[in-house]
Amino acid sequence: MIQRPALSLLDLESAALGSRWPLTAVLDALPWNSDGLIAAIAQQHDSGEVLMLAWMNRRALAETLASGQVCYWSRSRQCLWRKGESSGHRQRLIEARLDCDGDAVLLQVDQHGPACHTGRPNCFYNAIRDGAVEVISSPLKDSRHDP
């Protein structure tokens, strides 16, 4: 069997349209942080609204890709966190994308209910405006929150 050199993310940067690599090779090349995590940004697929930022380890990413339901790694609880398992506010994966240098994954999702644990539609409700931070959205009524 011929051994090929490990994939470099530079290979992806210079790749032609339609080029393809095995997922395992790409995951092996990602610059996972010292805790084995990568930043994951959730975006509503049809509106483009940025919903939240969380973290994934390789197992969470693999589960997400296999099941179609988004799973993160909870840094505070040190365990897998299946988005919406307690609140019902699940994220169904539409497509996953990697950024150019592989240090973040973009999850285009179909969000059911609020994305934020505060019950707000997204986690980015604190706007920095004119030297102050202003809260720009309220929790949705009758929302159960993720812990």
Side-chain angles (χ1 to χ4, degrees), residues 12-58:
L12 295 175
E13 286 183 10
S14 60
L17 179 66
S19 298
R20 295 175 60 92
W21 283 269
L23 179 60
T24 301
V26 174
L27 294 180
D28 288 344
L30 293 181
W32 304 90
N33 74 13
S34 61
D35 294 322
L37 302 175
I38 191 169
I41 302 161
Q43 177 186 44
Q44 179 62 33
H45 75 98
D46 52 0
S47 69
E49 179 182 15
V50 176
L51 302 172
M52 57 181 281
L53 170 94
W55 296 91
M56 295 179 119
N57 61 14
R58 195 165 174 154

Side-chain angles (χ1 to χ4, degrees), residues 55-69:
W55 296 91
M56 295 179 119
N57 61 14
R58 195 165 174 154
R59 194 167 142 213
L61 181 55
E63 180 176 316
T64 297
L65 296 172
S67 71
Q69 294 295 320

Side-chain angles (χ1 to χ4, degrees), residues 1-146:
M1 179 180 241
I2 297 173
Q3 285 259 324
R4 294 184 182 210
L7 176 72
S8 163
L9 291 175
L10 294 175
D11 295 326
L12 295 175
E13 286 183 10
S14 60
L17 179 66
S19 298
R20 295 175 60 92
W21 283 269
L23 179 60
T24 301
V26 174
L27 294 180
D28 288 344
L30 293 181
W32 304 90
N33 74 13
S34 61
D35 294 322
L37 302 175
I38 191 169
I41 302 161
Q43 177 186 44
Q44 179 62 33
H45 75 98
D46 52 0
S47 69
E49 179 182 15
V50 176
L51 302 172
M52 57 181 281
L53 170 94
W55 296 91
M56 295 179 119
N57 61 14
R58 195 165 174 154
R59 194 167 142 213
L61 181 55
E63 180 176 316
T64 297
L65 296 172
S67 71
Q69 294 295 320
V70 179
C71 176
Y72 298 105
W73 176 257
S74 171
R75 293 181 302 165
S76 61
R77 295 187 301 265
Q78 292 292 295
C79 64
L80 291 177
W81 162 43
R82 291 158 186 91
K83 179 68 175 155
E85 67 187 344
S86 62
S87 67
H89 302 148
R90 298 190 182 276
Q91 292 175 342
R92 183 176 60 85
L93 182 68
I94 303 298
E95 184 171 68
R97 298 180 182 183
L98 296 169
D99 77 339
C100 60
D101 55 3
D103 59 4
V105 61
L106 175 65
L107 304 170
Q108 293 182 322
V109 303
D110 185 19
Q111 174 70 47
H112 299 275
C116 186
H117 75 281
T118 65
R120 290 175 172 87
N122 67 64
C123 295
F124 298 97
Y125 58 87
N126 292 308
I128 301 170
R129 296 178 175 167
D130 301 319
V133 174
E134 180 181 347
V135 176
I136 59 171
S137 72
S138 298
L140 301 174
K141 291 186 176 198
D142 299 327
S143 65
R144 293 174 289 158
H145 305 237
D146 277 330

